[in-house]
Amino acid sequence: MKKLLLTILFLVCAVLVAWQVNEVLKFKHTDGNLILEAFYSNKKPIDVLMLGSSHTYDHLNAGIMWRSEGVSAFALAAGSQRYWSSYYYLKESLKYLKPQVLIFDVGGGARYSGRHSDSTITIWSTLGLRSYIDKARSIALSVPSIDRRVSIFLGIPEYHSRYRELKEDDFPFLTSKEISSVVFGRIHTNIYKNNIQDMSSIQDMKALDEKDEEFFLKILDLAKQNDIKVLLVKSPYQLPPEHQKIYNYIDNIAKAHGVEFLNFNLSYKDVGIDPLYDFRDFSHFNVHGIKKYSMYLAKYLRENYNVPDRRNDPEYAEWDKWANDYYMLAFTPKLNTTLQEYLKLLKNYSNDVVVFTVVTDEASRQIGKISQEELSILGIDADLKGKHQYGYVSVYDTETGFDYEEISENQTIIFKDRRDKLPMGVDVKSRGGRDLNKNENTISSIKINGQEHSKNKRGLNIVIYDKKRKTVIDSFYVDTHGDPTFTIKR
Amino acid sequence: MLFNSLTFLIFFPIVTVLYFVIPRKFRYLWLLAASYYFYMSWNPKYALLILTSTFTTYLCSLMVSKASTVSKKKLYVALSLLINLTILFTFKYLNFFTDTLNQLFNMSAPTFSLILPVGISFYTFQALGYTIDVYRGEVTAERNFFKYALFVSFFPQLVAGPIERSKNLLNQVRMMESVQFNYERMRSGLLLMIWGLFLKVVLAERAAIIVNQVYNNYENYTGFYVIIATFLFAIQIYVDFSAYSLIAIGAAEVLGFNLMQNFNTPYFSRTVGEFWRRWHISLSTWFRDYLYIPLGGNRCSRWRKHLNILIVFVVSGLWHGANWTFVIWGGLNGIYQIIGAELKPIKTRIVDTFKINTESFSHKFFQIVVVFSLINLSWIFFRAPSTSVAINMITHIFAEFNIWIFVDGSIYKLGLTALELKILVLSLTALLIASLCQYNGISIRAKLAEQAIWFRWAAYITAIMILLIFGYYGPTYSPSDFIYFQF
């Protein structure tokens, strides 16, 4: 008996050590297990749960839905996810929350039609599940090989060789910043000229695969049992007619179950989607498409499903920050707004940045219309009013508080002192209109790691360097001499 | 089902737990069923072959035991040999001989597309050894067919040995009902399995990457590349094969069976003869007992003895594979021993003349290095796909003295990164330490058992984690079979 207890104790110790090793080695996929980790760490009520594949987690951005309508939504989805995996996600999620509405993107039934998922997709959809029984079921439905099922279930055979690529990020537990980047932070900016054909003439139906239909109905039943309203959606993509026939079939089932189905392949124009501008590939939105689609659905949910606006709820203060982070990262480079609006966004931008401001020629005439408090967001504390054609340099680190400021009537300002306090190579100089050396070619300059970023236009030339991302996230100028609207120009 | 597969990770605990839980009188049936399942996981059709071998040797051995005259006994033994060696010949050698004859006589006799059943040489020799043992009266014929079938198909050693003797394993099968679960024995067996798995998945699989890179692209490599690859192949084949034996012995130990030792630090041998007494002991002794001694063994003229050695090693080479490379490999090992025996008086004279202390470390070390080098030379034939490639590689060794590859980073271009090479070197160091302990009669398992519980547990868990993290397994890799499966 003693030996049996010792054996059990030994096994417990071995499992605990293996558990920790597993935590370090495991994949950190943002569209799979990290989403589940973020979900498990969330303590706030979620009104809208969103299931599906990349068309859910990539297209429905919870940050934008929050920012635009105050909808608390969570995309619990993984790339190329099959219906059965979505079902087990729903089953798992109901142990932790009771959403008011379930949005389910039904693309999986047409795009993957009952096929086994490959191992990577299965890992995305199962690795982070806490319920071992449901995890085993989901894996068994996804992968035919028994050896592979065991391997994926255990996890470590799949990723133990990651010891070669471990980084610091693999060791700590998930931080709130990481959660925000998982839940709110997918940014795809490239533009693909898509071609979505008109499918409205296709009235035929094609049945779902038997296994897909079984789990599709299970999802509807489970939602019904838990008194959750279901909104079926299909975000637009370049689809073949065969897919549309399956969506017609799904529409039929939806009607029979009294469930709404919004097939945006037929009505993407209502959302304002422009196939030539809003996609990053034939099937996925870029940030512009994501924004339109997310805002549309958030509004639709508010108007048709009575989803509350929770923006005044202090419990969600963190979401405000994350959503603004996302918005800032995703849209700032394209946002031609006023300096004042921009400064509001910058203030809410949680990443640590270094702001460089230099004056080219002249910046003083209109600057008094901007409050000193607003300018201090850029690190500008000096009073520039009346400093006609003065040179000016400001370098401000929002994290450390490092602040360098110099103003000069007729001498070139070169930022030299304490440059070693900054994490990158910096060469900054400014020449005002009265500068004695102004006939030289370069009037003002902001070089970061040897690369010039200053627009070198009249007024304030501003460059924002993100220390976490180790990159310049924005460079623009505002003509504070001649433009009373202070429009940002790039 | 590979020992380093996840399926075995499930299979073995289930087999073990049920083995000790079910009524003892059914144990042999349970193990027999498990063994056939294990074997059929490669190819269910293979079961017919092993069943045929089992049935014929069972029947012939019963007939031998009942036969009234020696000539009748010999007849049944011959019948058993004929049937089983014919099966072995058909599946393993027919195409080789047909090809050889076609080349020699410019013929075009057809060859057949036959898949070599895993482990056929192992279980055939085990079953034939039993028939001969019954003929010699060293063991009584087993009447219970299922118990005998278990002796032939016992899963831990079925596909790659050790080739057990009926005196050892069959008698244990007969006594298995009395075996009780033993905690210490289980722990000891599991430790052996962990060590075997370490050798296979951490060391052998890593070494194999460099070996395969050089041997599969031999025309691109010269000098130290070939030396490194050949040295690593010597390590790979040793740890790969001995790993299988260790896992087999460990698994059998957990179930309460004692299998024979198959390797005893062969690379510390001071003569080629000693090497063969330490390498694949179950096969070497099989050939000694069932071929070398019947041929006359040592009790004959000097040249007849040399011929016997040569025959045994050529046949041993053929046992390993139907290819002239294996014949040359076997023959080379035989010739080493014949030359060694012929040079012995000269060696003795040199030792006497120069008053060499043969028990000094330096002399022993010199002998070990010489034997290891000779064995390495023969491994080139074993590993190379053809004799011409083997000869080519030997000439390539002397083509360039490229010692700079150790310092200019070229060594990292053989398939292993600097990190992987470090792990390989650390694993080799662990093997060296374990081998030195074994050579000096120190049992690491016994020493470990004497330590405080926290230390033991830390050691066990560390070993398991090393396997889990640094082992070559899982879908990221396509692990090679244990090399000896093909024999």
Side-chain angles (χ1 to χ4, degrees):
Chain A
M1 192 62 188
K2 186 186 160 195
K3 282 175 178 166
L4 179 65
L5 288 174
L6 278 174
T7 305
I8 292 168
L9 190 60
F10 171 78
L11 289 174
V12 169
C13 290
V15 167
L16 285 175
V17 174
W19 186 275
Q20 289 308 310
V21 169
N22 184 64
E23 287 297 300
V24 172
L25 289 174
K26 71 182 179 188
F27 294 124
K28 274 74 173 182
H29 291 142
T30 52
D31 62 340
N33 52 319
L34 284 187
I35 280 188
L36 277 164
E37 284 192 28
F39 175 78
Y40 290 129
S41 69
N42 171 63
K43 306 292 176 213
K44 291 173 277 295
I46 300 291
D47 295 321
V48 180
L49 184 72
M50 305 183 289
L51 295 175
S53 63
S54 58
H55 283 193
T56 298
Y57 77 73
D58 242 8
H59 292 183
L60 282 168
N61 185 287
I64 292 173
M65 294 172 84
W66 172 258
R67 203 168 181 275
S68 62
E69 296 288 337
V71 170
S72 77
F74 200 104
L76 199 55
S80 305
Q81 192 168 80
R82 309 305 201 243
Y83 280 2
W84 52 90
S85 294
S86 297
Y87 169 74
Y88 287 112
Y89 265 29
L90 175 61
K91 199 175 164 203
E92 178 78 353
S93 69
L94 294 179
K95 294 174 189 166
Y96 302 89
L97 59 84
K98 187 179 178 307
Q100 189 178 323
V101 181
L102 167 68
I103 295 183
F104 181 40
D105 187 295
V106 295
R111 294 165 73 209
Y112 318 118
S113 187
R115 295 199 301 265
H116 281 106
S117 52
D118 73 22
S119 51
T120 307
I121 289 161
T122 307
I123 289 166
W124 286 342
S125 292
T126 58
L127 185 59
L129 281 174
R130 279 186 187 165
S131 164
Y132 289 117
I133 294 171
D134 287 343
K135 181 176 173 176
R137 285 176 180 152
S138 189
I139 292 169
L141 287 159
S142 302
V143 181
S145 149
I146 291 173
D147 251 10
R148 204 60 202 269
R149 286 178 187 175
V150 176
S151 176
I152 292 173
F153 182 79
L154 293 174
I156 205 157
E158 299 285 328
Y159 46 68
H160 68 99
S161 56
R162 287 192 68 246
Y163 66 85
R164 298 166 185 157
E165 59 196 52
L166 290 180
K167 295 187 181 74
E168 192 182 346
D169 292 351
D170 286 297
F171 289 87
F173 294 104
L174 206 64
T175 63
S176 67
K177 272 191 179 177
E178 281 163 338
I179 294 173
S180 74
S181 68
V182 169
V183 181
F184 299 101
R186 293 190 179 80
I187 294 164
H188 306 284
T189 53
N190 59 309
I191 295 171
Y192 173 85
K193 293 189 189 315
N194 210 349
N195 175 23
I196 300 176
Q197 292 181 352
D198 181 7
M199 294 287 167
S200 57
S201 61
I202 295 172
Q203 301 299 320
D204 295 348
M205 284 192 282
K206 183 180 173 188
L208 280 165
D209 174 85
E210 202 175 313
K211 193 160 74 170
D212 283 334
E213 185 160 340
E214 178 192 344
F215 281 92
F216 180 64
L217 295 174
K218 279 187 169 189
I219 288 171
L220 296 184
D221 286 347
L222 190 57
K224 192 174 179 184
Q225 284 165 25
N226 287 277
D227 203 20
I228 300 167
K229 291 175 197 162
V230 178
L231 172 58
L232 302 174
V233 296
K234 182 64 231 98
S235 67
Y237 65 105
Q238 195 183 107
L239 74 164
E242 288 302 299
H243 288 193
Q244 182 54 42
K245 290 176 187 172
I246 292 177
Y247 297 136
N248 290 341
Y249 183 80
I250 290 171
D251 192 36
N252 221 26
I253 298 177
K255 281 176 181 148
H257 283 77
V259 169
E260 189 175 12
F261 176 31
L262 301 178
N263 184 354
F264 291 106
N265 286 308
L266 303 175
S267 58
Y268 64 88
K269 286 174 186 165
D270 296 348
V271 184
I273 295 292
D274 177 356
L276 299 177
Y277 180 70
D278 294 331
F279 283 84
R280 73 170 193 270
D281 59 38
F282 75 97
S283 178
H284 297 97
F285 287 144
N286 58 25
V287 285
H288 309 294
I290 291 168
K291 185 179 169 187
K292 290 173 187 172
Y293 186 57
S294 302
M295 286 174 73
Y296 180 89
L297 269 176
K299 195 174 176 199
Y300 193 85
L301 287 166
R302 292 265 300 117
E303 290 173 353
N304 298 284
Y305 286 82
N306 296 322
V307 174
D309 178 349
R310 293 184 180 270
R311 276 176 291 192
N312 293 324
D313 187 340
E315 204 180 349
Y316 292 86
E318 207 176 22
W319 280 39
D320 271 335
K321 193 163 143 292
W322 291 345
N324 283 329
D325 279 358
Y326 173 83
Y327 206 85
M328 189 73 182
L329 285 170
F331 303 109
T332 294
K334 307 290 179 195
L335 205 62
N336 292 325
T337 181
T338 64
L339 183 61
Q340 292 93 324
E341 282 300 312
Y342 189 92
L343 292 176
K344 282 181 201 166
L345 293 173
L346 186 63
K347 195 177 178 182
N348 288 323
Y349 183 61
S350 71
N351 271 14
D352 306 312
V353 296
V354 181
V355 184
F356 299 85
T357 308
V358 297
V359 166
T360 298
D361 193 13
E362 154 68 319
S364 69
R365 182 161 292 176
Q366 307 284 346
I367 205 161
K369 294 175 183 169
I370 306 171
S371 74
Q372 206 60 43
E373 191 185 348
E374 286 171 313
L375 287 173
S376 68
I377 295 167
L378 294 170
I380 299 174
D381 295 319
D383 186 358
L384 296 177
K385 289 193 298 286
K387 302 292 190 297
H388 181 60
Q389 292 190 324
Y390 276 40
Y392 175 79
V393 169
S394 164
V395 180
Y396 175 49
D397 186 328
T398 60
E399 181 199 20
T400 62
F402 174 93
D403 193 0
Y404 168 91
E405 229 181 343
E406 196 169 344
I407 185 163
S408 174
E409 185 180 355
N410 54 18
Q411 294 296 319
T412 304
I413 302 167
I414 299 176
F415 169 50
K416 280 188 289 195
D417 294 339
R418 300 183 291 146
R419 280 196 301 183
D420 56 340
K421 303 287 182 194
L422 297 174
M424 64 293 201
V426 172
D427 290 290
V428 182
K429 63 181 173 186
S430 167
R431 289 191 174 113
R434 296 186 190 186
D435 195 296
L436 296 172
N437 304 306
K438 76 170 188 177
N439 291 331
E440 287 184 19
N441 290 335
T442 306
I443 296 176
S444 68
S445 166
I446 303 171
K447 281 186 181 172
I448 295 173
N449 296 327
Q451 194 179 344
E452 181 63 72
H453 290 280
S454 171
K455 298 294 178 189
N456 199 18
K457 300 282 188 181
R458 188 175 69 184
L460 298 179
N461 291 265
I462 298 167
V463 170
I464 298 174
Y465 178 89
D466 187 320
K467 293 206 300 185
K468 189 179 177 197
R469 297 166 72 200
K470 293 179 181 168
T471 185
V472 170
I473 57 167
D474 209 355
S475 171
F476 57 89
Y477 74 99
V478 184
D479 184 359
T480 50
H481 172 72
D483 181 9
T485 63
F486 303 111
T487 303
I488 282 174
K489 292 173 184 160
R490 293 184 172 83
Chain B
M1 189 188 305
L2 297 170
F3 279 163
N4 53 333
S5 69
L6 293 170
T7 322
F8 187 75
L9 199 69
I10 298 168
F11 170 83
F12 183 64
I14 292 173
V15 170
T16 305
V17 169
L18 285 177
Y19 175 74
F20 286 111
V21 168
I22 60 174
R24 292 183 182 190
K25 59 182 177 180
F26 296 127
R27 277 180 174 176
Y28 70 96
L29 290 172
W30 169 241
L31 272 194
L32 179 63
S35 297
Y36 267 74
Y37 175 80
F38 178 85
Y39 193 64
M40 287 164 72
S41 67
W42 270 280
N43 186 339
K45 290 176 191 163
Y46 292 169
L48 285 175
L49 282 177
I50 193 170
L51 204 60
T52 307
S53 284
T54 306
F55 187 69
T56 51
T57 48
Y58 167 78
L59 211 60
C60 287
S61 302
L62 272 184
M63 309 271 262
V64 167
S65 69
K66 285 181 181 170
S68 51
T69 62
V70 174
S71 57
K72 280 186 180 173
K73 285 177 189 285
K74 283 185 176 173
L75 180 69
Y76 294 129
V77 172
L79 187 65
S80 176
L81 287 169
L82 182 70
I83 295 169
N84 285 284
L85 290 178
T86 302
I87 294 172
L88 184 62
F89 179 84
T90 307
F91 280 88
K92 191 164 178 177
Y93 302 105
L94 184 60
N95 283 342
F96 170 64
F97 275 90
T98 310
D99 280 339
T100 307
L101 289 175
N102 283 344
Q103 282 173 17
L104 278 177
F105 302 107
N106 202 17
M107 300 172 5
S108 57
T111 54
F112 302 93
S113 158
L114 296 171
I115 300 168
L116 180 66
V118 289
I120 188 169
S121 306
F122 287 92
Y123 70 71
T124 302
F125 269 42
Q126 187 158 310
L128 288 178
Y130 162 74
T131 310
I132 298 168
D133 285 346
V134 171
Y135 167 76
R136 288 174 178 174
E138 291 177 359
V139 69
T140 55
E142 176 57 51
R143 292 180 177 280
N144 185 324
F145 176 74
F146 298 107
K147 284 190 176 176
Y148 174 68
L150 175 60
F151 161 72
V152 178
S153 65
F154 185 49
F155 76 85
Q157 46 86 242
L158 170 58
V159 291
I163 302 168
E164 271 298 338
R165 302 306 161 77
S166 52
K167 280 173 282 187
N168 183 32
L169 185 58
L170 184 57
N171 283 338
Q172 290 186 65
V173 170
R174 286 165 173 164
M175 305 289 288
M176 67 194 288
E177 284 180 28
S178 61
V179 174
Q180 289 190 328
F181 176 78
N182 182 298
Y183 178 81
E184 278 73 26
R185 192 182 60 214
M186 179 196 72
R187 185 178 61 189
S188 171
L190 288 176
L191 282 177
L192 212 53
M193 292 175 80
I194 289 172
W195 176 239
L197 280 170
F198 169 82
L199 293 178
K200 170 66 180 169
V201 300
V202 179
L203 185 45
E205 293 282 352
R206 264 190 184 77
I209 289 171
I210 292 182
V211 173
N212 293 340
Q213 174 63 26
V214 174
Y215 273 80
N216 295 344
N217 306 281
Y218 64 93
E219 62 279 3
N220 299 330
Y221 294 104
T222 54
F224 279 101
Y225 285 119
V226 182
I227 292 171
I228 291 167
T230 304
F231 166 77
L232 285 176
F233 179 66
I235 300 297
Q236 183 202 349
I237 193 163
Y238 168 52
V239 292
D240 190 284
F241 190 18
S242 64
Y244 191 92
S245 294
L246 289 171
I247 299 168
I249 294 166
E253 199 174 336
V254 171
L255 293 166
F257 291 84
N258 291 314
L259 299 184
M260 68 186 295
Q261 187 186 27
N262 216 14
F263 291 88
N264 183 13
T265 60
Y267 289 143
F268 290 159
S269 301
R270 293 161 65 185
T271 65
V272 175
E274 185 187 355
F275 174 84
W276 281 103
R277 289 190 292 279
R278 291 172 174 274
W279 177 275
H280 200 176
I281 298 166
S282 63
L283 180 70
S284 301
T285 51
W286 196 99
F287 275 123
R288 181 196 65 198
D289 294 343
Y290 302 119
L291 182 62
Y292 182 66
I293 291 174
L295 284 172
N298 295 331
R299 295 176 182 177
C300 50
S301 69
R302 194 176 70 175
W303 288 106
R304 172 67 203 201
K305 183 185 149 191
H306 290 345
L307 181 65
N308 291 345
I309 288 173
L310 203 57
I311 290 170
V312 166
F313 276 89
V314 167
V315 173
S316 171
L318 264 179
W319 180 89
H320 282 83
N323 192 322
W324 286 109
T325 51
F326 292 112
V327 176
I328 294 172
W329 167 76
L332 208 52
N333 276 282
I335 289 166
Y336 286 158
Q337 292 181 71
I338 293 165
I339 293 171
E342 287 301 309
L343 293 179
K344 200 170 182 182
I346 300 169
K347 280 194 289 183
T348 310
R349 193 176 298 168
I350 292 170
V351 165
D352 289 344
T353 308
F354 293 99
K355 295 189 171 43
I356 295 168
N357 178 5
T358 55
E359 290 308 305
S360 67
F361 170 76
S362 57
H363 184 70
K364 286 181 188 173
F365 184 70
F366 172 74
Q367 287 179 305
I368 288 169
V369 170
V370 169
V371 170
F372 184 65
S373 303
L374 289 172
I375 295 297
N376 266 264
L377 186 68
S378 70
W379 284 138
I380 294 178
F381 287 93
F382 194 96
R383 176 60 180 81
S386 68
T387 47
S388 59
V389 170
I391 291 165
N392 208 329
M393 291 193 74
I394 292 168
T395 57
H396 272 205
I397 292 175
F398 303 101
E400 193 177 19
F401 188 72
N402 48 0
I403 200 161
W404 55 83
I405 67 166
F406 291 100
V407 290
D408 73 350
S410 303
I411 205 157
Y412 301 131
K413 294 173 186 166
L414 295 175
L416 291 185
T417 60
L419 173 65
E420 291 297 300
L421 268 179
K422 280 177 198 161
I423 296 170
L424 177 64
V425 171
L426 282 172
S427 310
L428 279 170
T429 310
L431 172 68
L432 180 66
I433 293 167
S435 300
L436 283 170
C437 289
Q438 188 187 351
Y439 190 73
N440 291 298
I442 300 166
S443 166
I444 295 176
R445 281 186 293 168
K447 289 280 176 197
L448 204 54
E450 292 168 7
Q451 304 306 314
I453 192 166
W454 68 266
F455 185 85
R456 276 187 279 132
W457 285 18
Y460 301 156
I461 290 172
T462 305
I464 294 168
M465 291 308 126
I466 287 172
L467 272 183
L468 279 180
I469 299 169
F470 300 112
Y472 274 40
Y473 67 98
T476 322
Y477 308 101
S478 54
S480 51
D481 280 350
F482 285 87
I483 293 175
Y484 264 67
F485 277 17
Q486 61 188 293
F487 310 136

